[in-house]
């Protein structure tokens, strides 16, 4: 029995020819870095195994080993000669168009001509039948690019066409990350303000007159023709019994004190994490931390009206083949809740209402891009946005809890700036990502349930809320990129359907102060967000 002799060759330079001549020998060829091989010659009864990773770097800006100019063409891009076997390592089974690396494709190509058609049937010259790449499909599934701008398409005849696809990590991911961050911040503010309104209604924050669990017939201020102060004043005036008059006078003085405390204040720090798995991109993560705070005035007609501000620090993505975005944002807005009447039933009360909210936002962001096998470059810009929402709902206090269903619309807009990335080591990586705008209009539907649990010195308010956010329009945006080969663009989509879930526990400490800890999650096909909020509210 003959034993085959095994040899190993590590190449990271430029070899004009690799050849085996000794019969029954095996050569393991490890080609790393930017290694180039012009000819692979496997002698009769020998094997050359090009190790997993990438086998050959094909680049149109290099020269041959003999000093002559070399231009990439598919005719004879890889030259295999001899009667032996040549096996190209292909990394992970079934993975096509992988990036360069330990599990990369067999063939790495740089500096392609955009729009040019290349015939892969002639890709391997010479003894193609002696390789593991005998079909154009096998070759096509094992081509990768050093330049992250490139994307390839293949037809059934084995023709490869190189394009630039703007929904790859060359910049659209930065827009998706920023849009996801600002979208989350605005919807988070929406949810926080909603929570304040609901907590006022249930009695968790403050002590405003409003129907609630255990007191479903209580009139909200303005629901009756006369204010509570007027009614108590008339009752004191008409009372003849001195003792009863004294008791009603005490109630009148308490109501005057309560009426003087007609403001609701709130402060809500939060921390958020997100996972972003946009179509066409590797999954990545983000995080944010910030604060939303404000105040609302309780008007005599039962309306709550106020303003709020928010600040946030955010980041998403990572340095590497993808875009990384970092920034800080400021938000300001106004909010109101207007009850429209009150109907008392035997076991519940119905208070229809309208909620309105508007927010404006500005973020100073930086974007870091690192194309494959290149350096990192950074661009900065201001991202602006706004949101406006209108919801109709019913506050329904019952004897077994507080239920609030709501439905409405929310319009958002996020405006991305133009970003310029220059001075890459490879000139083809230089690019200008054009500004873009996303304007989704959402249908909102949600229901909230709160149960009041009265203890000796405090009251607890466990709460759960579930809902959906559906993009009725505007959930797509155009991303475009200008490179040395021209302007290329594509349409990208943000999640059209998002499920929303919130759960929390509030504690009322005394008459005027409350604290609440809650979790909020948003679940879309591309973006999933998890928030932890701590809200402090008080009446003053």
């Amino acid at each position: 029995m003959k034993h085959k002799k095994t040899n190993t060759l590590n190449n990271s330079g430029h070899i004009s020819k690799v050849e085996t001549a000794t019969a029954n020998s095996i050569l393991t060829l490890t080609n790393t870095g930017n290694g180039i091989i012009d000819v692979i010659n496997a002698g009769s009864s020998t094997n050359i195994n090009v190790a997993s990773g990438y086998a050959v770097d094909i680049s149109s800006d290099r020269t041959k080993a003999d000093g002559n100019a070399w231009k990439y063409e598919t005719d004879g891009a890889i030259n295999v000669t001899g009667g032996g076997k040549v096996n190209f390592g292909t990394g992970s089974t079934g993975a096509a168009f992988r990036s360069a690396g330990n599990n990369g494709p067999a063939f790495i190509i740089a500096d392609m001509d955009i729009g040019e058609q290349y015939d892969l049937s002639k890709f391997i010259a010479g003894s193609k039948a002696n390789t593991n790449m005998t079909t154009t499909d096998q070759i096509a599934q094992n081509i990768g690019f050093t330049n992250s701008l490139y994307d390839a398409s293949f037809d059934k005849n084995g023709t490869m066409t190189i394009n630039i696809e703007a929904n790859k990590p060359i910049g659209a991911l930065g827009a998706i990350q920023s849009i996801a961050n600002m979208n989350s911040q605005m919807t988070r503010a929406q949810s926080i303000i909603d929570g304040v309104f609901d907590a006022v209604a249930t009695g968790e924050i403050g002590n405003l007159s409003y129907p609630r669990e255990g007191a479903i017939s209580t009139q909200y201020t303005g629901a009756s023709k006369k204010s509570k102060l007027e009614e108590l004043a008339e009752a004191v005036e008409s009372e003849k019994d001195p003792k009863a008059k004294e008791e009603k006078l005490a109630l009148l003085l308490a109501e005057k004190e309560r009426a003087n405390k007609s403001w609701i204040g709130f402060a809500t720090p939060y921390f958020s994490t997100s996972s972003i798995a946009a179509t066409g991109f590797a999954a990545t993560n983000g995080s944010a931390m910030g604060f939303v705070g404000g105040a609302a005035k309780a008007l005599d007609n039962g309306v709550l009206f106020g303003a709020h501000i928010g600040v946030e620090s955010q980041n998403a993505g990572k340095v590497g083949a993808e875009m990384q975005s970092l920034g800080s944002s400021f938000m300001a807005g106004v909010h109101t809740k207007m009850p429209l009447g009150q109907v008392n039933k035997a076991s519940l009360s119905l208070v229809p209402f309208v909620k309105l909210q508007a927010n404006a936002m500005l973020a100073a962001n930086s974007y870091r891009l690192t194309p494959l096998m290149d350096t990192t470059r950074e661009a900065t810009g201001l991202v602006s946005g706004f949101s406006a929402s209108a919801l109709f709902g019913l506050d329904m206090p019952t004897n077994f809890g507080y239920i609030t269903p709501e439905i409405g619309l929310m319009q958002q807009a996020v405006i991305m700036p133009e970003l310029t990335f220059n001075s890459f080591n490879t000139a083809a990586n230089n690019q200008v990502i054009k500004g873009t705008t996303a304007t989704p209009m959402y249908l909102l539907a949600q229901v909230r349930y709160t149960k009041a649990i009265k203890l000796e010195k405090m009251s607890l308010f466990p709460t759960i809320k579930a809902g959906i956010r559906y993009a009725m329009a505007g959930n797509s945006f155009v991303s475009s990129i200008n490179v040395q080969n021209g302007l290329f663009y594509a349409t990208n989509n943000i999640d059209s359907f998002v499920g929303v879930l919130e759960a929390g526990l509030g504690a009322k400490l005394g008459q005027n102060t409350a604290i609440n800890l809650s979790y909020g999650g948003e679940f879309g096909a591309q973006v999933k967000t998890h928030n932890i909020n701590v809200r402090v509210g008080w009446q003053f």
Side-chain angles (χ1 to χ4, degrees):
M1 178 178 177
K2 293 183 179 180
H3 295 279
K4 292 189 175 183
K5 184 178 181 180
T6 302
N7 299 282
T8 301
L9 174 64
N10 298 320
N11 173 46
S12 59
H14 189 164
I15 297 177
S16 60
K17 188 176 185 178
V18 173
E19 184 173 13
T20 55
T22 303
N24 300 310
S25 66
I26 299 174
L27 172 63
T28 299
L29 174 59
T30 303
N31 201 46
T32 59
N34 295 314
I36 297 171
I37 302 171
D38 291 330
V39 179
I40 299 176
N41 180 46
S44 180
S45 299
T46 67
N47 288 336
I48 295 180
N49 298 318
V50 185
S52 178
Y54 64 89
V56 183
D57 187 353
I58 307 165
S59 175
S60 62
D61 62 355
R62 67 176 174 86
T63 58
K64 291 186 177 181
D66 59 8
N68 294 321
W70 189 96
K71 176 174 171 51
Y72 174 72
E73 295 178 355
T74 50
D75 292 3
I78 305 296
N79 194 359
V80 174
T81 60
K85 298 288 292 183
V86 176
N87 296 308
F88 294 103
T90 58
S92 302
T93 303
F97 318 123
R98 296 178 294 271
S99 301
N102 292 332
N103 289 317
F107 313 111
I108 290 291
I109 302 175
D111 295 334
M112 304 291 296
D113 290 328
I114 306 301
E116 186 76 17
Q117 292 186 326
Y118 299 95
D119 184 3
L120 294 184
S121 66
K122 301 176 181 178
F123 187 84
I124 298 179
S127 307
K128 180 167 69 173
N130 292 342
T131 74
N132 62 334
M133 298 288 171
T134 58
T135 69
T136 56
D137 185 60
Q138 288 172 322
I139 295 170
Q141 290 191 37
N142 285 284
I143 288 179
F145 305 103
T146 60
N147 193 323
S148 63
L149 301 183
Y150 293 148
D151 186 69
S153 61
F154 304 87
D155 66 18
K156 62 182 180 180
N157 298 317
T159 299
M160 176 177 69
T161 304
I162 306 300
N163 302 297
I164 288 183
E165 196 165 344
N167 65 346
K168 296 302 180 185
I170 54 181
L173 183 57
I176 290 175
Q177 290 169 346
S178 292
I179 289 169
N181 279 339
M182 298 192 76
N183 183 295
S184 295
Q185 187 176 1
M186 287 186 284
T187 55
R188 189 160 40 238
Q190 165 91 27
S191 178
I192 288 172
I193 303 302
D194 273 354
V196 171
F197 285 145
D198 293 337
V200 170
T202 61
E204 178 183 338
I205 298 179
N207 194 32
L208 298 181
S209 182
Y210 207 83
R212 53 181 58 102
E213 179 183 356
I216 60 177
S217 62
T218 302
Q219 297 286 304
Y220 74 81
T221 303
S224 61
K225 294 182 179 179
K226 296 181 180 180
S227 72
K228 196 168 185 179
L229 277 174
E230 291 175 325
E231 291 176 346
L232 287 172
E234 290 178 356
V236 170
E237 184 68 26
S238 60
E239 183 60 58
K240 303 301 183 183
D241 182 86
K243 185 175 181 180
K245 190 180 187 72
E246 183 178 348
E247 291 176 350
K248 291 181 178 181
L249 181 60
L251 290 174
L252 176 61
L253 294 176
E255 178 62 20
K256 284 184 177 181
E257 182 181 359
R258 187 206 62 78
N260 289 331
K261 293 182 178 180
S262 58
W263 282 89
I264 298 294
F266 60 93
T268 308
Y270 59 82
F271 175 75
S272 171
T273 63
S274 60
S275 60
I276 303 171
T279 302
F281 300 91
T284 188
N285 297 312
S287 64
M289 58 189 305
F291 164 89
V292 174
K297 170 73 172 178
L299 304 180
D300 290 340
N301 59 0
V303 172
L304 283 170
F305 178 82
H308 55 271
I309 60 171
V311 293
E312 181 174 291
S313 174
Q314 55 198 220
N315 70 84
K318 58 186 178 182
V319 172
E322 297 179 333
M323 176 79 73
Q324 183 187 36
S325 60
L326 307 94
S328 299
S329 62
F330 175 79
M331 176 190 67
V334 293
H335 53 266
T336 184
K337 178 180 179 181
M338 298 177 288
L340 304 177
Q342 183 173 335
V343 178
N344 294 329
K345 300 293 185 180
S347 58
L348 80 161
S349 182
L350 301 175
V351 181
F353 62 82
V354 172
K355 288 178 181 176
L356 303 176
Q357 188 176 155
N359 300 299
M361 184 180 302
L362 187 66
N365 287 0
S366 66
Y367 301 87
R368 299 171 183 172
L369 181 63
T370 312
L372 292 175
M373 298 184 181
D374 211 317
T375 189
T376 299
R377 291 290 180 253
E378 184 173 356
T380 59
L382 292 176
V383 182
S384 57
F386 77 88
S387 69
S389 63
L391 288 91
F392 173 81
L394 280 174
D395 279 329
M396 299 192 299
T398 71
N399 291 327
F400 54 84
Y402 208 102
I403 305 169
T404 304
E406 298 174 74
I407 190 168
L409 297 174
M410 178 169 62
Q411 176 69 63
Q412 288 189 352
V414 178
I415 304 169
M416 289 289 298
E418 182 173 286
L419 303 173
T420 300
F421 297 92
N422 284 323
S423 303
F424 285 111
N425 295 335
T426 301
N429 284 329
N430 295 338
Q431 56 194 274
V432 177
I433 301 169
K434 298 296 184 180
T436 189
T437 301
T439 56
M441 173 177 279
Y442 292 107
L443 171 68
L444 305 177
Q446 58 192 31
V447 60
R448 171 184 168 117
Y449 175 77
T450 300
K451 174 65 179 175
I453 302 174
K454 294 183 179 180
L455 304 178
E456 183 177 353
K457 295 183 178 181
M458 68 171 66
S459 295
L460 299 179
F461 294 83
T463 298
I464 188 168
K465 181 169 75 173
I468 62 168
R469 188 170 73 245
Y470 173 70
M472 302 170 60
N475 67 313
S476 63
F477 65 96
V478 174
S479 60
S480 56
I481 178 172
N482 197 353
V483 293
Q484 62 182 13
N485 299 97
L487 181 66
F488 301 86
Y489 61 91
T491 299
N492 301 94
N493 295 309
I494 55 181
D495 284 329
S496 58
F497 185 91
V498 178
V500 177
L501 178 66
E502 294 183 18
L505 179 64
K508 186 169 186 177
L509 311 173
Q511 289 296 310
N512 300 318
T513 306
I515 188 169
N516 181 285
L517 175 65
S518 65
Y519 161 82
E522 297 184 359
F523 306 91
Q526 299 185 98
V527 180
K528 296 176 176 61
T529 303
H530 305 278
N531 310 299
I532 296 295
N533 306 326
V534 178
R535 184 190 67 224
V536 178
W538 63 95
Q539 181 177 342
F540 63 96

